[in-house]
Amino acid sequence: MSKRSLVIVESPAKANTIKKFLGRNYKVVASIGHVMDLPKNELGVDVDNGFSPKYVVSKGKQKVLSQIKKDAKESDVVLLALDMDREGEAIAWHLQQVLAKSKTKVPIKRIVFNEITKSAIKEAVASPGEVDQRKVDAQQARRILDRIVGYQISPVLWQIFYYGLSAGRVQTVGLRLVCERQTEIDAFTAVEYWTVESVLLTADGDEVPARLTHKGGEKIDLKSKADVDPVLAQLKKSAFEVADVVNKEKKRNPQAPFITSTLQRDAARRLRFSPKKIMMLAQQLYEGIDLGKDERVGLITYMRTDSVRISPQAAENTGRYIKSEFGDDYVPEKPHVYKQKKGSQDAHEAVRPTEVLRTPDSVGKHLSKDQRALYRLIWQRFVASQMASARYDTTEVTVEADGYTLKANGRVMTFRGFLSVYDENASDKETELPAMKVGDKLKLKSIDGTQHFTEPPPNYSEATLIKELEDKGIGRPSTYASIVSIIQDREYVVKEEGKLRPTTLGQQVWLTLEGFFPELFDTSFTALMEDELDKIEGGEDSWQKVVKDFYVPFKEALDNIDEKKDRIKSELQEETDLTCEKCGSKLIKKWGRNGQFLACPAYPECKFSRPLEGEEQSIHLDRKCPKCGGDLIAKVGRYGRFAACDKYPDCKHTEAFPIGMNCPLKECDGDVVEKVTRRGKRFYGCNKYPDCTFAAWDKPIAEVCPACDNPYMLQKTSQKRGTYWKCPECKEEISLA
C-alpha cells in the first residue's frame, strides 16, 4: 500500500502550484497564514514569569485546523512546507504543536525550498528535516517585543492625542528618520557658489568643453560674482595650451542580482511601484503562475533575502544562455563574484528567475501588466549580473592658462556588455573629444560663470528610506515594505510627488515618543535589537534573555511617564489668537480623529470647541485640481477632512478626501475616498459612485491578504489591542502591536 503524505503551505496559490508537482499520494492544503497568535484583547505575555507567551487559535482558523487534524490522521507523514523565513518557521512550529496536542501519531517533518519548481519540490520532499527551533525563538522574541511596545505605548498616545493612534517598535524609527530629515531641510541655509565653464577651439575648429578647476595648483573656490569677474577678465585675454592628455580604458561592472531591498528600490525608481505593491507582485511570481498546458510554476526564487549568492547550476545555465544569445564576448572570463553586505544572513539565494529560458517575452502573455513589468526587471538584472563588463575609452585633457587649470573629459563606449540587457542609467551621455596632444594651442570661443546654491538634503522617497533603513541595520528584508507602508497608513507620513513628508500629526507623535522614550527609538538601539534577534537564530543567545534586557529599561521609562506627561502635552498645545466665544480664553489647537481643532483650555469647565475651518493640515495631495490645475490640499471642515484647491478663493473646487488607494474592485479605475453620511459618520467609498458601489466603514488598506489573496484589508482599532488589519473576506487578521 502506497504512503499518503499531507503537505501544508500558507496560501491557496502556493498550494495550487505545488499540487502540480506531486502525485496523487500527496494532499496539499493551506493553513491560510498564521494559525495561532497572541490574544487580541490582552497583552498575552507573562512579564513576571520568563515572558511566557499565551498563544491562542487565530480568529477564523478553528475550522482550518480541524480539517488539517483530520487530514493528518489519514496520512502517513505530514510535511510542513511553509516559507523559509522566521514567520514561516513560526507557522510550522505552531502547526506542529497543534498536531501534537491532537495526538496525531504520524511523523511531522519540515521541508524548505528556495523556489517553487518541480525539481526543488521533489528534492525537498526527498530530504525532510525538523523545525528550526532557533528561528522560531527569534520570531517569538520579535513578536513579544513588538506586542509589549504596541500594547503599552499606544495608550500613551491616546492620552496625548486621541484614541486609536498606535506606535510600533520599528515603524516609529522609520517615522523618526522622516521627521529628522524634514527638520534638516527646514533648518537648511543655502550657500552661494559659482562655476566657470568654457568652450575652447582646436586648430581645426573642433569644440572642447572645459571647466575651470584650479588656480596655482589649488582647487578654486568661487563664492560670489565678485570672485568670478576678475577670473573671467583674466582668462578672456589668456593663451590656452594643452598640458596633459590621458587616455584610458575603463570598465563598468554589472551590479549584483537583486536582494529584497535593492529590488524594492529599483522597482520603485523604474516602475513607480510602492514597496508594498512590489512585494505583493513578487509573492505572486514566487508562489506560481499558470503558463498554460496545465503548467503552473514559480517564476522567481524566494523574494525575502539579503544574500547576493546564486546557485552554481543557475550561474552555469545563465552562462550558456548568454553565450547562445549574445556570443562569447558577452561571457566574462571569470564569473562575477559579488561581496555580501556586512551582517547578511546569507540564508537564501538572491532574487532571480527560476529558469533563465523563461524570458519576459515568452511568459509575458500569462502575466498581468504589473507582474510582467516586475518579472522583466528581475530577469534583466539577474542576466546582466552574469554578463561581461561594459568598456569605455576615456580621455582627460588638462589645459593651462596663466596659472589657471581647466579640465575636459570625454568618454566613448567601445563594448556594451551587460548594458545590452540592463541599462542602469540610460541618461548617461557620451562625450567624444577631438584628438589633441600636449603643446597644442587652443582658442577661447566662449566662457561664462554660473551661479549655484547648495541644496538641502532631499526628502526621503520610499526607495531611499528603505536604503537608509538597510544601511542603519533597522528591520530586515521581510519588514522594509511594512515599515514604509504603516507610517503612511497611520497618516504620520504623506507622499507628495514621490517624496515622504511628515504630517503635523506625525511630527508631534514623534516628538511625544522621543520625549517619553528617547533610548527606545534610537536608531542604533533598534539596529542592536535586530542583531540580538539574529544572535537568537544563530544560537548565541536565548530569547528570554534578549526580551528581559529590553524590558527592564523599557518598564522603567513607562513608570516615569506621569512626571513627563503634562509637560509634553502642554508643549504640543499651540495657543492661537482666537478667543473662546463662551469664556474669553485664548483657544488652543487640540487633536481629534479628523485632525486638529480649536478648543477652550478651560475644559472641562468650558467645553467650547470648533473646527479649524479653512486651515490647511500640512498635507499636499498627490493630485491636481481638475478645474484649474492647482494643487489639491487637505482641509478640515465641520464634517471632517476634504480636498480643496490651494488657489481658493479664486478656485473653489472641493472633493472627497482621497486616501491614496485605487479602488480594489476589478474593472474599476476609481480611487477610494473618505466620505461622511448624512448623520456625520465617516466611511470609505469609490469616487466613481454610483458606477462603482465599493464602500466600507473601516479604512481599506492596499495590503493583499496573506491568507486568501483578497486585494485589500481593513484597518481596525480596539481600545485593548490598538490598530490591526482584518480581511473582509476570510477574516484573517494581522496585528500591528
Side-chain angles (χ1 to χ4, degrees):
M1 183 177 177
S2 58
K3 281 190 173 184
R4 176 182 171 86
S5 300
L6 176 66
V7 181
I8 307 176
V9 299
E10 299 99 322
S11 72
K14 189 174 178 181
N16 289 336
T17 305
I18 292 177
K19 283 176 186 176
K20 301 284 186 180
F21 306 135
L22 300 174
R24 64 180 62 185
N25 293 325
Y26 291 85
K27 182 173 184 179
V28 185
V29 299
S31 70
I32 315 183
H34 278 275
V35 294
M36 301 192 76
D37 197 2
L38 299 174
K40 296 177 174 39
N41 297 319
E42 58 180 289
L43 181 62
V45 179
D46 191 343
V47 296
D48 298 320
N49 292 290
F51 302 94
S52 177
K54 174 185 176 182
Y55 291 114
V56 297
V57 175
S58 301
K59 188 174 181 180
K61 294 301 174 66
Q62 195 61 59
K63 185 176 180 181
V64 173
L65 284 176
S66 296
Q67 186 61 48
I68 287 176
K69 292 175 189 176
K70 182 174 181 290
D71 291 335
K73 289 177 180 178
E74 297 172 356
S75 304
D76 298 300
V77 64
V78 175
L79 300 176
L80 304 172
L82 293 309
D83 280 353
M84 303 170 67
D85 59 10
R86 292 171 185 165
E87 293 299 317
E89 208 70 27
I91 298 173
W93 181 67
H94 283 305
L95 286 168
Q96 187 181 56
Q97 302 299 305
V98 168
L99 293 176
K101 289 179 181 178
S102 69
K103 299 180 181 179
T104 302
K105 297 180 180 179
V106 300
I108 302 172
K109 296 292 183 180
R110 176 79 164 108
I111 61 172
V112 294
F113 35 84
N114 187 55
E115 58 188 54
I116 304 180
T117 58
K118 186 172 184 177
S119 59
I121 299 301
K122 291 285 189 182
E123 183 179 339
V125 168
S127 54
E130 303 297 330
V131 171
D132 186 341
Q133 189 61 46
R134 296 187 302 193
K135 190 176 284 188
V136 172
D137 289 345
Q139 188 277 341
Q140 187 165 241
R142 176 187 287 278
R143 185 73 188 95
I144 290 172
L145 289 172
D146 290 346
R147 170 55 66 96
I148 288 172
V149 171
Y151 251 66
Q152 301 197 32
I153 289 185
S154 294
V156 176
L157 294 179
W158 302 346
Q159 295 175 47
I160 302 293
F161 298 94
Y162 57 88
Y163 167 71
L165 292 184
S166 56
R169 182 179 61 87
V170 180
Q171 293 90 349
T172 298
V173 182
L175 172 62
R176 173 182 187 159
L177 293 173
V178 175
C179 289
E180 290 182 340
R181 175 58 60 85
Q182 188 64 52
T183 300
E184 286 182 65
I185 294 169
D186 293 342
F188 179 81
T189 302
V191 177
E192 181 183 7
Y193 71 99
W194 288 68
T195 58
V196 173
E197 309 284 346
S198 69
V199 177
L200 306 175
L201 298 175
T202 67
D204 295 330
D206 295 320
E207 293 186 352
V208 181
R211 171 177 286 195
L212 177 64
T213 61
H214 293 75
K215 178 183 180 181
E218 297 290 330
K219 187 174 180 180
I220 198 160
D221 183 14
L222 303 172
K223 296 180 178 179
S224 65
K225 190 173 188 298
D227 293 338
V228 172
D229 286 344
V231 173
L232 294 178
Q234 179 66 33
L235 288 173
K236 285 178 180 178
K237 57 186 180 183
S238 297
F240 294 83
E241 182 177 313
V242 176
D244 193 19
V245 178
V246 178
N247 294 304
K248 290 182 179 178
E249 182 184 72
K250 290 190 176 180
K251 291 183 178 181
R252 181 176 170 187
N253 297 323
Q255 292 183 305
F258 282 133
I259 58 176
T260 303
S261 59
T262 54
L263 171 62
Q264 291 174 350
R265 293 204 299 268
D266 232 36
R269 180 172 62 89
R270 288 170 171 257
L271 306 178
R272 304 298 182 189
F273 292 168
S274 69
K276 188 161 50 178
K277 181 174 182 177
I278 294 163
M279 295 310 290
M280 175 194 74
L281 295 169
Q283 184 83 33
Q284 294 167 356
L285 295 173
Y286 165 71
E287 291 190 338
I289 300 293
D290 283 312
L291 300 180
K293 296 182 180 179
D294 204 35
E295 181 186 9
R296 183 180 174 88
V297 67
L299 292 183
I300 65 170
T301 54
Y302 193 56
M303 62 286 158
R304 296 184 181 93
T305 177
D306 59 6
S307 172
V308 294
R309 173 176 53 84
I310 62 172
S311 70
Q313 184 64 46
E316 184 180 329
N317 291 344
T318 307
R320 284 198 296 266
Y321 172 83
I322 294 169
K323 184 176 180 179
S324 66
E325 290 294 316
F326 297 93
D328 291 341
D329 290 345
Y330 286 81
V331 180
E333 293 180 9
K334 294 181 180 179
H336 295 294
V337 177
Y338 297 100
K339 187 178 180 180
Q340 297 287 9
K341 180 180 175 291
K342 184 180 179 181
S344 169
Q345 298 179 46
D346 195 26
H348 322 307
E349 283 190 60
V351 184
R352 62 167 176 82
T354 55
E355 172 52 68
V356 71
L357 295 179
R358 292 193 190 98
T359 64
D361 290 337
S362 68
V363 300
K365 63 182 179 182
H366 304 290
L367 304 175
S368 69
K369 178 183 176 182
D370 291 341
Q371 287 174 335
R372 186 163 57 248
L374 187 64
Y375 181 68
R376 182 179 298 278
L377 193 67
I378 293 169
W379 186 92
Q380 289 176 334
R381 172 77 166 234
F382 172 67
V383 172
S385 75
Q386 305 304 301
M387 295 178 73
S389 303
R391 295 194 295 271
Y392 300 86
D393 282 342
T394 64
T395 303
E396 182 181 85
V397 178
T398 302
V399 179
E400 298 291 346
D402 286 344
Y404 290 98
T405 301
L406 298 90
K407 297 277 188 181
N409 293 283
R411 187 179 77 158
V412 178
M413 182 181 290
T414 58
F415 179 66
R416 285 191 62 79
F418 74 94
L419 293 175
S420 302
V421 172
Y422 188 78
D423 194 343
E424 293 161 346
N425 193 348
S427 63
D428 275 0
K429 293 182 178 179
E430 294 186 21
T431 303
E432 185 173 4
L433 296 178
M436 288 175 279
K437 63 182 183 297
V438 175
D440 282 357
K441 307 297 183 183
L442 303 175
K443 289 184 179 180
L444 180 65
K445 178 181 180 181
S446 63
I447 190 168
D448 202 2
T450 304
Q451 183 186 41
H452 307 274
F453 290 93
T454 56
E455 295 185 353
N459 286 97
Y460 289 110
S461 65
E462 291 177 322
T464 57
L465 179 57
I466 287 172
K467 185 177 188 303
E468 187 75 2
L469 292 168
E470 182 187 34
D471 290 345
K472 291 184 178 297
I474 299 165
R476 287 296 180 262
S478 60
T479 63
Y480 295 140
S482 66
I483 292 171
V484 174
S485 65
I486 286 174
I487 59 177
Q488 293 180 73
D489 293 338
R490 291 174 178 165
E491 298 183 0
Y492 296 160
V493 170
V494 65
K495 185 166 68 172
E496 299 176 2
E497 298 179 349
K499 300 298 183 182
L500 299 178
R501 294 182 174 86
T503 61
T504 302
L505 175 62
Q507 288 175 315
Q508 295 201 1
V509 164
W510 163 239
L511 291 174
T512 300
L513 295 175
E514 182 186 33
F516 284 132
F517 310 99
E519 294 84 11
L520 176 60
F521 299 115
D522 180 75
T523 54
S524 58
F525 176 77
T526 305
L528 178 63
M529 288 306 304
E530 295 290 353
D531 292 339
E532 293 298 316
L533 295 174
D534 291 343
K535 287 180 181 179
I536 296 172
E537 185 172 337
E540 301 174 47
D541 224 334
S542 72
W543 71 264
Q544 292 94 339
K545 180 181 181 301
V546 169
V547 174
K548 181 180 179 181
D549 290 346
F550 169 88
Y551 183 74
V552 171
F554 172 67
K555 181 66 166 62
E556 184 178 346
L558 275 176
D559 292 341
N560 294 326
I561 277 180
D562 286 342
E563 63 188 53
K564 299 180 180 179
K565 186 169 61 178
D566 291 341
R567 175 180 59 81
I568 291 175
K569 194 169 184 177
S570 65
E571 288 176 354
L572 295 176
Q573 289 182 347
E574 180 183 345
E575 186 178 281
T576 71
D577 294 328
L578 302 173
T579 304
C580 175
E581 297 175 8
K582 290 188 175 181
C583 71
S585 300
K586 292 290 185 181
L587 295 177
I588 59 173
K589 290 182 180 180
K590 298 186 74 173
W591 285 96
R593 293 186 65 85
N594 288 322
Q596 287 183 294
F597 64 96
L598 294 172
C600 182
Y603 179 88
E605 287 77 16
C606 179
K607 298 181 179 179
F608 176 79
S609 67
R610 70 174 179 83
L612 277 168
E613 293 185 20
E615 292 202 21
E616 298 177 24
Q617 297 297 300
S618 302
I619 300 178
H620 281 253
L621 305 175
D622 250 353
R623 293 184 58 191
K624 297 293 184 181
C625 173
K627 287 188 176 179
C628 72
D631 291 334
L632 289 182
I633 59 175
K635 290 193 173 185
V636 177
R638 183 178 179 184
Y639 297 108
R641 295 182 300 180
F642 62 96
C645 182
D646 68 346
K647 302 297 184 184
Y648 180 87
D650 296 328
C651 177
K652 298 181 179 179
H653 173 77
T654 62
E655 60 184 59
F657 182 79
I659 68 170
M661 173 181 166
N662 297 330
C663 179
L665 299 187
K666 292 181 178 179
E667 311 304 327
C668 179
D669 60 355
D671 296 317
V672 179
V673 295
E674 190 176 290
K675 297 184 175 183
V676 179
T677 67
R678 291 180 180 178
R679 295 188 176 183
K681 186 175 180 181
R682 180 167 52 182
F683 72 102
Y684 302 88
C686 181
N687 66 347
K688 296 290 185 179
Y689 179 84
D691 296 327
C692 177
T693 57
F694 171 79
W697 290 116
D698 298 298
K699 183 180 178 181
I701 302 296
E703 185 79 22
V704 176
C705 175
C708 70
D709 294 329
N710 191 58
Y712 72 100
M713 300 190 78
L714 299 176
Q715 181 169 293
K716 291 178 168 286
T717 302
S718 76
Q719 188 144 3
K720 290 186 176 180
R721 58 185 298 210
T723 304
Y724 63 99
W725 293 339
K726 183 173 183 177
C727 177
E729 294 298 321
C730 72
K731 312 308 177 187
E732 171 76 1
E733 295 184 358
I734 298 177
S735 178
L736 303 181

mmCIF file of all heavy atoms in Angstrom, residues 16 35 50 57 152 177-178 189 230 235-236 252 263 297 400 407 551 555 597 653 659 664 675 712-713 730:
data_model
loop_
_atom_site.group_PDB
_atom_site.id
_atom_site.type_symbol
_atom_site.label_atom_id
_atom_site.label_comp_id
_atom_site.label_asym_id
_atom_site.label_seq_id
_atom_site.Cartn_x
_atom_site.Cartn_y
_atom_site.Cartn_z
ATOM 1 N N ASN A 16 -1.785 25.445 -4.891
ATOM 2 C CA ASN A 16 -2.149 25.084 -6.262
ATOM 3 C C ASN A 16 -0.916 24.798 -7.113
ATOM 4 O O ASN A 16 -0.934 23.913 -7.976
ATOM 5 C CB ASN A 16 -2.972 26.202 -6.896
ATOM 6 C CG ASN A 16 -4.361 26.296 -6.296
ATOM 7 O OD1 ASN A 16 -4.874 25.317 -5.754
ATOM 8 N ND2 ASN A 16 -4.966 27.470 -6.373
ATOM 9 N N VAL A 35 -1.845 30.366 12.189
ATOM 10 C CA VAL A 35 -2.984 29.671 12.811
ATOM 11 C C VAL A 35 -3.083 30.000 14.292
ATOM 12 O O VAL A 35 -4.129 29.797 14.908
ATOM 13 C CB VAL A 35 -2.878 28.147 12.615
ATOM 14 C CG1 VAL A 35 -3.005 27.790 11.147
ATOM 15 C CG2 VAL A 35 -1.576 27.594 13.188
ATOM 16 N N GLY A 50 9.222 34.812 33.036
ATOM 17 C CA GLY A 50 10.030 34.459 31.871
ATOM 18 C C GLY A 50 9.438 34.900 30.553
ATOM 19 O O GLY A 50 9.790 34.360 29.499
ATOM 20 N N VAL A 57 -5.703 30.157 19.261
ATOM 21 C CA VAL A 57 -6.029 29.938 17.852
ATOM 22 C C VAL A 57 -6.532 31.246 17.252
ATOM 23 O O VAL A 57 -7.390 31.923 17.825
ATOM 24 C CB VAL A 57 -7.095 28.832 17.700
ATOM 25 C CG1 VAL A 57 -7.518 28.690 16.235
ATOM 26 C CG2 VAL A 57 -6.559 27.514 18.224
ATOM 27 N N GLN A 152 1.713 48.822 25.249
ATOM 28 C CA GLN A 152 1.945 49.698 26.387
ATOM 29 C C GLN A 152 2.273 51.139 25.993
ATOM 30 O O GLN A 152 2.205 52.030 26.833
ATOM 31 C CB GLN A 152 3.051 49.109 27.265
ATOM 32 C CG GLN A 152 2.671 47.716 27.756
ATOM 33 C CD GLN A 152 3.501 47.247 28.939
ATOM 34 O OE1 GLN A 152 3.920 48.043 29.766
ATOM 35 N NE2 GLN A 152 3.730 45.947 29.024
ATOM 36 N N LEU A 177 13.192 58.920 11.186
ATOM 37 C CA LEU A 177 14.082 59.291 10.093
ATOM 38 C C LEU A 177 13.430 60.335 9.186
ATOM 39 O O LEU A 177 14.063 61.305 8.773
ATOM 40 C CB LEU A 177 14.465 58.050 9.280
ATOM 41 C CG LEU A 177 15.340 57.021 9.999
ATOM 42 C CD1 LEU A 177 15.500 55.772 9.130
ATOM 43 C CD2 LEU A 177 16.702 57.595 10.333
ATOM 44 N N VAL A 178 12.140 60.132 8.885
ATOM 45 C CA VAL A 178 11.429 61.074 8.016
ATOM 46 C C VAL A 178 11.315 62.441 8.691
ATOM 47 O O VAL A 178 11.524 63.482 8.059
ATOM 48 C CB VAL A 178 10.033 60.519 7.660
ATOM 49 C CG1 VAL A 178 9.226 61.551 6.864
ATOM 50 C CG2 VAL A 178 10.159 59.232 6.845
ATOM 51 N N THR A 189 20.247 76.390 5.335
ATOM 52 C CA THR A 189 20.528 77.714 4.757
ATOM 53 C C THR A 189 21.398 77.532 3.515
ATOM 54 O O THR A 189 22.491 76.955 3.593
ATOM 55 C CB THR A 189 21.264 78.610 5.767
ATOM 56 O OG1 THR A 189 20.461 78.748 6.950
ATOM 57 C CG2 THR A 189 21.530 79.976 5.168
ATOM 58 N N PRO A 230 36.889 88.917 -11.955
ATOM 59 C CA PRO A 230 38.313 89.068 -12.319
ATOM 60 C C PRO A 230 38.897 87.812 -12.968
ATOM 61 O O PRO A 230 39.795 87.914 -13.807
ATOM 62 C CB PRO A 230 38.994 89.367 -10.980
ATOM 63 C CG PRO A 230 38.041 88.917 -9.932
ATOM 64 C CD PRO A 230 36.680 89.095 -10.505
ATOM 65 N N LEU A 235 41.011 85.294 -17.927
ATOM 66 C CA LEU A 235 41.002 84.176 -18.875
ATOM 67 C C LEU A 235 40.643 84.628 -20.293
ATOM 68 O O LEU A 235 41.080 84.015 -21.273
ATOM 69 C CB LEU A 235 40.031 83.092 -18.401
ATOM 70 C CG LEU A 235 40.497 82.280 -17.183
ATOM 71 C CD1 LEU A 235 39.386 81.360 -16.686
ATOM 72 C CD2 LEU A 235 41.737 81.443 -17.539
ATOM 73 N N LYS A 236 39.843 85.660 -20.425
ATOM 74 C CA LYS A 236 39.448 86.132 -21.753
ATOM 75 C C LYS A 236 40.637 86.667 -22.555
ATOM 76 O O LYS A 236 40.571 86.742 -23.786
ATOM 77 C CB LYS A 236 38.369 87.209 -21.631
ATOM 78 C CG LYS A 236 36.998 86.647 -21.279
ATOM 79 C CD LYS A 236 35.956 87.743 -21.122
ATOM 80 C CE LYS A 236 34.599 87.143 -20.777
ATOM 81 N NZ LYS A 236 33.560 88.188 -20.559
ATOM 82 N N ARG A 252 32.966 49.155 -16.674
ATOM 83 C CA ARG A 252 31.821 49.345 -15.782
ATOM 84 C C ARG A 252 31.221 47.981 -15.513
ATOM 85 O O ARG A 252 30.738 47.311 -16.434
ATOM 86 C CB ARG A 252 30.799 50.268 -16.433
ATOM 87 C CG ARG A 252 29.592 50.545 -15.552
ATOM 88 C CD ARG A 252 28.676 51.535 -16.224
ATOM 89 N NE ARG A 252 27.421 51.655 -15.537
ATOM 90 C CZ ARG A 252 26.384 52.353 -15.991
ATOM 91 N NH1 ARG A 252 26.496 52.976 -17.160
ATOM 92 N NH2 ARG A 252 25.269 52.421 -15.322
ATOM 93 N N LEU A 263 15.688 45.303 -4.850
ATOM 94 C CA LEU A 263 14.511 45.091 -5.694
ATOM 95 C C LEU A 263 13.480 46.180 -5.423
ATOM 96 O O LEU A 263 12.912 46.767 -6.355
ATOM 97 C CB LEU A 263 13.914 43.706 -5.424
ATOM 98 C CG LEU A 263 12.557 43.417 -6.085
ATOM 99 C CD1 LEU A 263 12.675 43.468 -7.600
ATOM 100 C CD2 LEU A 263 12.011 42.065 -5.634
ATOM 101 N N VAL A 297 4.009 27.207 -12.347
ATOM 102 C CA VAL A 297 5.350 27.176 -11.782
ATOM 103 C C VAL A 297 5.676 28.525 -11.154
ATOM 104 O O VAL A 297 5.157 29.568 -11.575
ATOM 105 C CB VAL A 297 6.394 26.832 -12.876
ATOM 106 C CG1 VAL A 297 6.491 27.955 -13.889
ATOM 107 C CG2 VAL A 297 7.754 26.525 -12.281
ATOM 108 N N GLU A 400 46.135 74.518 -19.508
ATOM 109 C CA GLU A 400 46.689 75.568 -18.649
ATOM 110 C C GLU A 400 46.536 76.931 -19.328
ATOM 111 O O GLU A 400 46.655 77.042 -20.547
ATOM 112 C CB GLU A 400 48.175 75.312 -18.365
ATOM 113 C CG GLU A 400 48.463 74.020 -17.610
ATOM 114 C CD GLU A 400 47.984 74.039 -16.172
ATOM 115 O OE1 GLU A 400 47.657 75.145 -15.665
ATOM 116 O OE2 GLU A 400 47.911 72.967 -15.547
ATOM 117 N N LYS A 407 39.748 71.508 -17.092
ATOM 118 C CA LYS A 407 39.690 70.085 -17.406
ATOM 119 C C LYS A 407 38.585 69.824 -18.425
ATOM 120 O O LYS A 407 37.486 70.393 -18.351
ATOM 121 C CB LYS A 407 39.380 69.263 -16.150
ATOM 122 C CG LYS A 407 40.452 69.357 -15.057
ATOM 123 C CD LYS A 407 41.602 68.413 -15.311
ATOM 124 C CE LYS A 407 42.550 68.390 -14.113
ATOM 125 N NZ LYS A 407 43.699 67.497 -14.321
ATOM 126 N N TYR A 551 13.236 44.725 28.227
ATOM 127 C CA TYR A 551 12.060 45.101 29.015
ATOM 128 C C TYR A 551 12.413 45.900 30.262
ATOM 129 O O TYR A 551 11.676 46.818 30.639
ATOM 130 C CB TYR A 551 11.275 43.848 29.413
ATOM 131 C CG TYR A 551 10.007 44.165 30.168
ATOM 132 C CD1 TYR A 551 8.904 44.685 29.495
ATOM 133 C CD2 TYR A 551 9.916 43.969 31.547
ATOM 134 C CE1 TYR A 551 7.733 44.995 30.178
ATOM 135 C CE2 TYR A 551 8.750 44.275 32.236
ATOM 136 C CZ TYR A 551 7.665 44.790 31.544
ATOM 137 O OH TYR A 551 6.505 45.101 32.214
ATOM 138 N N LYS A 555 10.443 49.234 31.010
ATOM 139 C CA LYS A 555 9.493 49.328 32.130
ATOM 140 C C LYS A 555 9.824 50.539 33.000
ATOM 141 O O LYS A 555 8.921 51.245 33.477
ATOM 142 C CB LYS A 555 9.572 48.047 32.970
ATOM 143 C CG LYS A 555 8.609 48.018 34.157
ATOM 144 C CD LYS A 555 7.162 47.990 33.677
ATOM 145 C CE LYS A 555 6.207 47.618 34.814
ATOM 146 N NZ LYS A 555 6.217 48.561 35.927
ATOM 147 N N PHE A 597 -8.286 70.647 15.946
ATOM 148 C CA PHE A 597 -9.447 71.513 16.067
ATOM 149 C C PHE A 597 -9.155 72.536 17.160
ATOM 150 O O PHE A 597 -8.164 72.429 17.895
ATOM 151 C CB PHE A 597 -10.709 70.709 16.375
ATOM 152 C CG PHE A 597 -10.671 69.995 17.707
ATOM 153 C CD1 PHE A 597 -11.243 70.559 18.838
ATOM 154 C CD2 PHE A 597 -10.059 68.748 17.823
ATOM 155 C CE1 PHE A 597 -11.211 69.907 20.064
ATOM 156 C CE2 PHE A 597 -10.022 68.089 19.039
ATOM 157 C CZ PHE A 597 -10.602 68.661 20.168
ATOM 158 N N HIS A 653 -12.986 74.727 -5.991
ATOM 159 C CA HIS A 653 -13.204 73.288 -6.173
ATOM 160 C C HIS A 653 -12.905 72.526 -4.883
ATOM 161 O O HIS A 653 -11.890 72.760 -4.222
ATOM 162 C CB HIS A 653 -12.312 72.745 -7.287
ATOM 163 C CG HIS A 653 -12.357 71.248 -7.402
ATOM 164 N ND1 HIS A 653 -13.412 70.593 -7.984
ATOM 165 C CD2 HIS A 653 -11.491 70.282 -6.969
ATOM 166 C CE1 HIS A 653 -13.192 69.295 -7.935
ATOM 167 N NE2 HIS A 653 -12.039 69.076 -7.323
ATOM 168 N N ILE A 659 -7.647 58.749 -0.018
ATOM 169 C CA ILE A 659 -6.767 58.111 0.973
ATOM 170 C C ILE A 659 -5.521 57.512 0.323
ATOM 171 O O ILE A 659 -4.729 56.855 0.998
ATOM 172 C CB ILE A 659 -7.510 57.037 1.780
ATOM 173 C CG1 ILE A 659 -7.890 55.834 0.893
ATOM 174 C CG2 ILE A 659 -8.739 57.617 2.453
ATOM 175 C CD1 ILE A 659 -8.414 54.643 1.676
ATOM 176 N N PRO A 664 -10.298 48.767 -5.064
ATOM 177 C CA PRO A 664 -9.844 47.376 -5.137
ATOM 178 C C PRO A 664 -10.701 46.478 -6.026
ATOM 179 O O PRO A 664 -10.326 45.333 -6.281
ATOM 180 C CB PRO A 664 -9.920 46.909 -3.674
ATOM 181 C CG PRO A 664 -11.015 47.728 -3.085
ATOM 182 C CD PRO A 664 -10.923 49.070 -3.768
ATOM 183 N N LYS A 675 -15.580 59.597 3.013
ATOM 184 C CA LYS A 675 -16.865 60.272 2.898
ATOM 185 C C LYS A 675 -17.548 60.343 4.261
ATOM 186 O O LYS A 675 -17.083 59.740 5.233
ATOM 187 C CB LYS A 675 -17.774 59.537 1.897
ATOM 188 C CG LYS A 675 -17.233 59.505 0.473
ATOM 189 C CD LYS A 675 -18.240 58.848 -0.462
ATOM 190 C CE LYS A 675 -17.781 58.912 -1.906
ATOM 191 N NZ LYS A 675 -18.788 58.341 -2.841
ATOM 192 N N TYR A 712 -7.335 43.706 -0.679
ATOM 193 C CA TYR A 712 -7.226 44.745 0.336
ATOM 194 C C TYR A 712 -7.638 44.196 1.705
ATOM 195 O O TYR A 712 -8.282 43.154 1.816
ATOM 196 C CB TYR A 712 -8.101 45.951 -0.024
ATOM 197 C CG TYR A 712 -9.594 45.707 0.119
ATOM 198 C CD1 TYR A 712 -10.291 46.150 1.246
ATOM 199 C CD2 TYR A 712 -10.312 45.036 -0.869
ATOM 200 C CE1 TYR A 712 -11.651 45.921 1.384
ATOM 201 C CE2 TYR A 712 -11.672 44.806 -0.747
ATOM 202 C CZ TYR A 712 -12.347 45.250 0.384
ATOM 203 O OH TYR A 712 -13.689 45.017 0.527
ATOM 204 N N MET A 713 -7.216 44.927 2.749
ATOM 205 C CA MET A 713 -7.631 44.595 4.106
ATOM 206 C C MET A 713 -8.225 45.855 4.730
ATOM 207 O O MET A 713 -8.107 46.953 4.170
ATOM 208 C CB MET A 713 -6.454 44.072 4.923
ATOM 209 C CG MET A 713 -5.833 42.819 4.318
ATOM 210 S SD MET A 713 -4.644 42.001 5.395
ATOM 211 C CE MET A 713 -5.732 41.145 6.538
ATOM 212 N N CYS A 730 -11.933 36.535 4.278
ATOM 213 C CA CYS A 730 -11.664 35.326 5.072
ATOM 214 C C CYS A 730 -11.494 35.617 6.560
ATOM 215 O O CYS A 730 -11.290 34.702 7.355
ATOM 216 C CB CYS A 730 -10.425 34.604 4.536
ATOM 217 S SG CYS A 730 -8.870 35.456 4.890
#
